[in-house]
Amino acid sequence: MRSSGCSGEPAASAQPADSAGLIGPAGALGVTRLLYDGAWLEAQRRLERRLAEAGLEPRFDRAGSLYGRLAGTEAGSGVVLTGSHIDTVRRGGPYDGAYGVAAGIAALAALRRFCGPPQRTLEVVSLCEEEGSRFPLSYWGSGTMIGRYGLEGAARYRDAGGTTLEEAMLSAGFGRPEQPHPRRGDLAAFVELHVEQGIVLERGGEGIGVVQAIVGQRRYTFTVAGEANHAGTTPMRLRRDALAGAAEMALAAERAAVRRGEPMVATVGRIAAEPGTPNVVPGRVVFTLDVRHDDAQALEAFCRELLEELDGIAARRGLELQGELWMDAPPAPMDAGLAERLERAAARRGLAVRRMASGAGHDAQLLSELCPAAMLFVPSRAGISHSPLEFTEEAQLAAGLAVLIDALYELAYEERVP
Amino acid sequence: MRSSGCSGEPAASAQPADSAGLIGPAGALGVTRLLYDGAWLEAQRRLERRLAEAGLEPRFDRAGSLYGRLAGTEAGSGVVLTGSHIDTVRRGGPYDGAYGVAAGIAALAALRRFCGPPQRTLEVVSLCEEEGSRFPLSYWGSGTMIGRYGLEGAARYRDAGGTTLEEAMLSAGFGRPEQPHPRRGDLAAFVELHVEQGIVLERGGEGIGVVQAIVGQRRYTFTVAGEANHAGTTPMRLRRDALAGAAEMALAAERAAVRRGEPMVATVGRIAAEPGTPNVVPGRVVFTLDVRHDDAQALEAFCRELLEELDGIAARRGLELQGELWMDAPPAPMDAGLAERLERAAARRGLAVRRMASGAGHDAQLLSELCPAAMLFVPSRAGISHSPLEFTEEAQLAAGLAVLIDALYELAYEERVP
């Protein structure tokens, strides 16, 4: 039916990898694009050129998110947006975020080529930041779109090297008043295509996952303070060893999550000891804790009880414990109507579809505050992600793109615009 | 009796701090002089000037250890050496090593001024490295003196930044063929004055400790390999979390040392997780382990049993564990005759003396392979060391210097030279 309005089948020719090589092999060291660093900037510039070649009017917003635009014929009918994030974890895989950006560009390029101008304006976005890998905050891109973050607050956040988010933003060429403000008030819908990053689809044999809700998550940074002392002359019973205390706390978090059962997860991802010398009892340790669950009450109760347990460990060892909660994202339901539409589009392609929750956080959870938002997942081999081993088969990537194209066509070309 | 040969009382005027401000207040961040870094080089240059001012013929050896010399009248009677090391741990205290260097310089300066040339040549040394804080080896200074380390091996060791020991040595201006080789074959005795770095003397109320033996110690670097994965989408039961495994190993080491009882100590001083991102399950963790005991068999048995336990933890968690033993120093007895001489000298000064073992490693344990070696300890307040809080009272520092001067006078001026 779609072909009625199109000169050909957009999905037939579109390839998600067809976006200036944004998705390449990860290599042994994986892919590392941190907010505003050199690799990040180079990738955004490449995408900007790719958008221009495809006739998709590129523009950066003030935060550094890159948009491509396919103008619609019906003014004021709102913008249908797709895309994902460009940044990665350290040594991450090639698909996390990048697939949704590459597929979004490929989708709009194919729709423009075969179907001409839509009624509703279509846009694709390469969001500047989602992972929280460099600065102690996440969703800088979508957070500035919805107003959770104001650009003026960027001076408050520092990376491990002491550089502020504001300094990094300015040095990358963003944050200038003449650049368009990231806030959006004109979105009609957001569809994010992403790799699952889990093993659910592979185990169930489905080709497409349609996300019903995104888990809530909390991220803490804990500082354990004891007393630095000589490793040879300080008897064990006289020590206030911050690292031994932190190790006991990390195991307590793991044990509590196992005891609570799925889908509860708790992760200590970063740890550093000071002074960090083999022959000195550590006097200070800083570590992070990431906790997730799709039920708000369960998440709240788990964190409250765990923090009490950590305080007890610190007290027993004569250590001081300080915890900073720097991320607290509640579970986010996706738009039911939009999710059903994605489900039908996948079914029409003959794909097995699973309704599921997302164990990973995504920009869609923030943009769902602005407009109806939904997510499409494709399988991740062995459920591995945030790793150089992250992999999804070409056919699965193409299937996800085809469903995205169909859904965007429906939303922007077919839907009755009031 | 000494004054017979001297124009005055050397100890009366000598002050250990009187060495170009080598011993200053530590400040909140402590003192950090790492082998061949800027602070280290500046301190050695200041000491070189101080030695020249005091008429103590300064010279550097090829490894960067600095000597001062007071030539003796009896050729071939061997050199009586004192001194300690110039390098520190990260954020260490002001006395560890530096006190023995400053006191040695003050002692030779006072002896030269009041007693003139000795029979045996007196030398003071500011050894380039002892702590193992920058490169994965310790005793670089004394190790090159006894031939344990050859300078040509310096390319094998790298610091955390990837710089080799050889590169650092050359960039600091050392390692050049025209500089004197560090090997020594002419030493008659070595006396090292040092802060205790423990709480034994303070608890016992003694002003001087005379070391009978130095504990043996082993230092390992362990690498735990698991699988990096997404912190939100990887169920707890499917994880191979290298950090959780390392935390369990650190607690096992602590528990085993407590169970074995004093003087056994085991310390995890450094730990790093990769990729080191809050939202990624760590796939790789590297940590160090420092184990010490004054009985060789006890040390051997403890390490063997602990490594078996760590292997068991790794196996149960599906992790790979590799351990590298990069330091293995057996317990080192001091020279009994020389120790008794130090004990008598302290008693003549009216000081309470304790015979004790050293829980810390010292250059004296290496130099004891070259010549009779012994050590003098002064108290450390609260036993705190390797910390900015390290402190010894001025009067205690002066008492240690007085005993050192008396002992050096005996060895170099009075002893019958065959």
Side-chain angles (χ1 to χ4, degrees), chain A residues 84-159:
Chain A
S84 190
H85 60 94
I86 180 73
D87 67 310
T88 69
V89 296
R90 295 173 197 274
R91 301 191 172 188
Y95 305 102
D96 181 358
Y99 167 56
V101 174
I105 295 171
L108 266 61
L111 286 167
R112 175 176 178 277
R113 178 173 165 207
F114 292 99
C115 308
Q119 298 180 54
R120 282 206 173 102
T121 294
L122 276 166
E123 291 193 12
V124 56
V125 64
S126 174
L127 290 159
C128 56
E129 199 277 343
E130 186 261 3
E131 298 284 2
S133 302
R134 178 175 176 184
F135 295 95
L137 83 170
S138 298
Y139 310 112
W140 177 242
S142 49
T144 54
M145 289 174 68
I146 70 172
R148 170 181 297 181
Y149 298 127
L151 294 172
E152 63 286 354
R156 283 204 308 275
Y157 304 98
R158 289 185 183 277
D159 66 12

Side-chain angles (χ1 to χ4, degrees), chain B residues 80-406:
Chain B
V80 174
L81 180 67
T82 188
S84 189
H85 59 93
I86 180 75
D87 67 310
T88 69
V89 297
R90 295 173 198 273
R91 301 191 170 188
Y95 305 102
D96 180 357
Y99 168 55
V101 174
I105 294 172
L108 266 61
L111 286 166
R112 175 177 179 277
R113 179 172 162 209
F114 292 99
C115 308
Q119 298 180 56
R120 281 206 172 102
T121 294
L122 276 167
E123 291 193 13
V124 56
V125 64
S126 174
L127 290 160
C128 56
E129 200 277 342
E130 186 259 8
E131 297 287 2
S133 302
R134 177 175 175 184
F135 295 95
L137 85 170
S138 299
Y139 311 111
W140 177 242
S142 49
T144 54
M145 288 174 68
I146 69 171
R148 171 181 295 181
Y149 298 128
L151 294 171
E152 62 286 353
R156 284 205 308 276
Y157 305 97
R158 290 184 184 279
D159 66 13
T163 303
T164 68
L165 176 55
E166 183 174 50
E167 291 162 350
M169 178 169 61
L170 292 170
S171 68
F174 300 104
R176 300 200 305 270
E178 66 269 24
Q179 296 167 318
H181 195 283
R183 281 302 293 273
R184 296 297 298 259
D186 57 349
L187 299 184
F190 176 65
V191 179
E192 184 172 9
L193 174 58
H194 206 283
V195 289
E196 179 197 339
Q197 310 181 268
I199 201 165
V200 174
L201 291 176
E202 183 176 270
R203 290 219 168 153
E206 296 93 358
I208 290 289
V210 175
V211 176
Q212 311 296 307
I214 296 174
V215 296
Q217 53 182 298
R218 295 188 178 187
R219 292 190 195 163
Y220 299 84
T221 296
F222 289 100
T223 301
V224 185
E227 183 170 76
N229 216 327
H230 193 291
T233 63
T234 314
M236 300 304 288
R237 66 191 159 73
L238 295 183
R239 298 180 174 204
R240 290 171 51 220
D241 184 333
L243 179 49
E248 192 175 346
M249 294 174 194
L251 288 177
E254 181 191 46
R255 196 168 45 241
V258 169
R259 198 166 48 223
R260 179 61 173 74
E262 292 183 22
M264 185 66 74
V265 286
T267 307
V268 175
R270 175 183 295 161
I271 188 166
E274 292 178 15
T277 307
N279 56 346
V280 183
V281 178
R284 188 166 177 276
V285 169
V286 177
F287 68 91
T288 60
L289 176 68
D290 176 310
V291 184
R292 311 189 192 198
H293 196 279
D294 64 359
D295 178 81
Q297 282 70 26
L299 186 61
E300 162 62 29
F302 179 87
C303 292
R304 191 179 57 248
E305 290 161 21
L306 178 57
L307 264 62
E308 283 170 10
E309 185 176 0
L310 301 191
D311 283 333
I313 292 168
R316 181 162 40 72
R317 288 177 169 269
L319 304 168
E320 285 153 30
L321 176 66
Q322 289 191 328
E324 181 202 359
L325 175 66
W326 53 269
M327 176 174 165
D328 185 4
M334 297 289 94
D335 181 79
L338 191 53
E340 280 166 27
R341 192 192 290 264
L342 297 177
E343 214 175 314
R344 286 195 303 271
R348 280 200 302 274
R349 287 273 172 187
L351 296 162
V353 184
R354 170 184 288 262
R355 298 181 181 182
M356 61 190 297
S358 170
H362 294 288
D363 294 297
Q365 75 200 52
L366 282 78
L367 296 182
S368 67
E369 297 180 19
L370 282 188
C371 63
M375 292 192 74
L376 286 167
F377 278 169
V378 293
S380 295
R381 186 177 63 187
I384 295 172
S385 183
H386 284 188
S387 159
L389 300 176
E390 180 184 73
F391 180 76
T392 299
E393 290 170 18
E394 192 61 41
Q396 296 171 320
L397 296 173
L401 171 59
V403 175
L404 177 66
I405 290 174
D406 294 351

